[in-house]
Amino acid sequence: MILLDGKAVAKDRRAKIKSEVDSFKSKFGKAPGLAVVLVGDDPASQVYVGSKEKACAKAGILSQRFDIDKTQNVEELDSLLNHLNADQDVHAVLVQIPIPKPFEYRSVLELLDPRKDVDGLTYDSMGRLWSGHKSVAPCTPRGVMEILKYYDINVAGKKAVVVGRSNIVGKPMAQLLMDENATVTVCHSKTPSLEEYTREADIVAVAAGKPRMFGKEDFKKDAVVIDVGIHRLDSGKLCGDVRFEELGGHASAATPAPGGVGPMTIAMLLQNTLDLATAIETRKLK
Ligand code: NDP
């Protein structure tokens, strides 16, 4: 079984991004800028945001963090988004999810300038993705496609199953696989006999958010298994949706979790920031 080592792929990609950021700076006289907005004080989000900021600094991307306290008015998030939309040094905006009530992610989707939508989640970005005119794809599914490409796994003509239909992972994952000519089935919590679908697939991307739900018996021999799930168990250990240790000698290739899709999500955040910054600064030159 080939270990699809997302950590190694991410390292390789991040080195390339760093050198592309250097060229960007020479060409445009500024760094690509990412604004990270954290609403509330969710401890896991604090950790994710911290690692995203560190990754930006290493790549030469200017990241700025904006904290909104959950006691602040909903309008303050709206006015921050308007400010970031207008800020010439901000090319990309990430609003970390989940966001606590009464704040609503919907207002982000409606207010954020799609040209700065680093996670590809605004209505405009999603419509573009589904209609074949994407600007940037959401970071996690884009990261999955990069892993497949890196290991020369051709998806054209293959049967692919995506487990999960969230806007941030499952749906865009299905579209990106379809863009590469896979025949895609999307499963979810209301799919009866889920294993009948996953066992038929050449490629399975699992994003159900259920710790260690899937094992060897859920995949056909020589399937490619991508585990998007990530969970911290009570013991403190991290695991995915798949029992990775069962796959040796059965799957043809699989991502571990941790060390698979997660590192690629951060690498693709950097790539998407650079892509958006390049598009914005190039438009200004015209
Ligand atoms: P959501 O909770 O938004 O979506 C989960 C999806 O899985 C839903 O569509 C749900 O179906 C489906 N599902 C839930 N239970 C089952 C089941 N028993 N059988 C079949 N389908 C099921 O999660 P996300 O998409 O945001 O994330 C999924 C996982 O990926 C999580 O573990 C998350 O932590 C991880 N993740 C990892 C990232 C990374 O960088 N590695 C980045 C983003 C997410 P329904 O629609 O019917 O409710």
Side-chain angles (χ1 to χ4, degrees), residues 141-274:
R142 185 173 185 186
V144 171
M145 297 310 290
E146 290 292 331
I147 293 178
L148 294 171
K149 200 153 83 185
Y150 185 90
Y151 286 95
D152 257 339
I153 296 173
N154 183 18
V155 304
K158 302 280 170 55
K159 277 189 201 169
V161 163
V162 177
V163 184
R165 56 177 167 179
S166 68
N167 287 340
I168 194 159
V169 186
K171 284 183 201 161
M173 186 74 259
Q175 181 61 47
L176 293 183
L177 286 164
M178 206 160 27
D179 286 349
E180 295 300 324
N181 300 316
T183 302
V184 184
T185 305
V186 179
C187 299
H188 46 78
S189 70
K190 307 292 184 293
T191 304
S193 309
L194 177 64
E195 64 288 353
E196 286 178 16
Y197 295 88
T198 56
R199 275 188 210 143
E200 282 289 306
D202 304 307
I203 300 168
V204 187
V206 179
K210 301 286 168 204
R212 295 173 59 75
M213 175 178 169
F214 298 83
K216 180 180 171 178
E217 72 283 2
D218 295 303
F219 308 109
K220 78 172 185 187
K221 176 96 178 88
D222 291 333
V224 173
V225 180
I226 305 289
D227 187 358
V228 179
I230 192 79
H231 314 275
R232 190 171 290 282
L233 299 172
D234 290 343
S235 62
K237 257 184 95 176
L238 290 171
C239 73
D241 285 3
V242 176
R243 301 189 294 279
F244 178 76
E245 70 282 4
E246 295 180 9
L247 301 183
H250 184 71
S252 65
T255 58
V261 175
M264 285 307 290
T265 297
I266 295 195
M268 292 302 104
L269 173 69
L270 306 177
Q271 184 70 64
N272 279 358
T273 301
L274 178 60

Side-chain angles (χ1 to χ4, degrees), residues 58-75:
K58 278 192 188 159
I61 289 174
L62 183 68
S63 79
Q64 301 179 67
R65 174 167 162 174
F66 298 86
D67 283 277
I68 299 249
D69 191 270
K70 59 185 171 199
T71 59
Q72 282 177 260
N73 291 333
V74 173
E75 290 71 31

Side-chain angles (χ1 to χ4, degrees), residues 28-43:
F28 298 110
K30 57 160 84 167
L34 172 71
V36 181
V37 180
L38 184 58
V39 186
D41 54 5
D42 179 61

Side-chain angles (χ1 to χ4, degrees), residues 3-121:
L3 171 77
L4 303 177
D5 184 350
K7 221 168 154 182
V9 185
K11 192 172 170 207
D12 180 75
R13 288 307 304 262
R14 282 167 63 164
K16 289 194 182 116
I17 292 165
K18 186 172 185 322
S19 98
E20 285 170 27
V21 167
D22 290 342
S23 312
F24 179 97
K25 285 179 181 166
S26 324
K27 184 166 179 191
F28 298 110
K30 57 160 84 167
L34 172 71
V36 181
V37 180
L38 184 58
V39 186
D41 54 5
D42 179 61
S45 295
Q46 304 264 8
V47 175
Y48 290 140
V49 164
S51 32
K52 287 168 183 174
E53 286 179 302
K54 258 191 230 154
C56 282
K58 278 192 188 159
I61 289 174
L62 183 68
S63 79
Q64 301 179 67
R65 174 167 162 174
F66 298 86
D67 283 277
I68 299 249
D69 191 270
K70 59 185 171 199
T71 59
Q72 282 177 260
N73 291 333
V74 173
E75 290 71 31
E76 288 179 68
L77 175 59
D78 296 357
S79 87
L80 174 60
L81 289 170
N82 285 327
H83 164 76
L84 297 174
N85 284 344
D87 189 330
Q88 296 289 314
D89 291 325
V90 170
H91 301 102
V93 178
L94 170 81
V95 180
Q96 182 67 39
I97 48 176
I99 63 177
K101 291 232 169 312
F103 295 92
E104 281 193 62
Y105 200 74
R106 222 171 80 111
S107 69
V108 178
L109 304 183
E110 280 167 5
L111 279 182
L112 180 60
D113 182 340
R115 289 168 297 190
K116 297 190 175 186
D117 176 14
V118 78
D119 238 335
L121 288 173

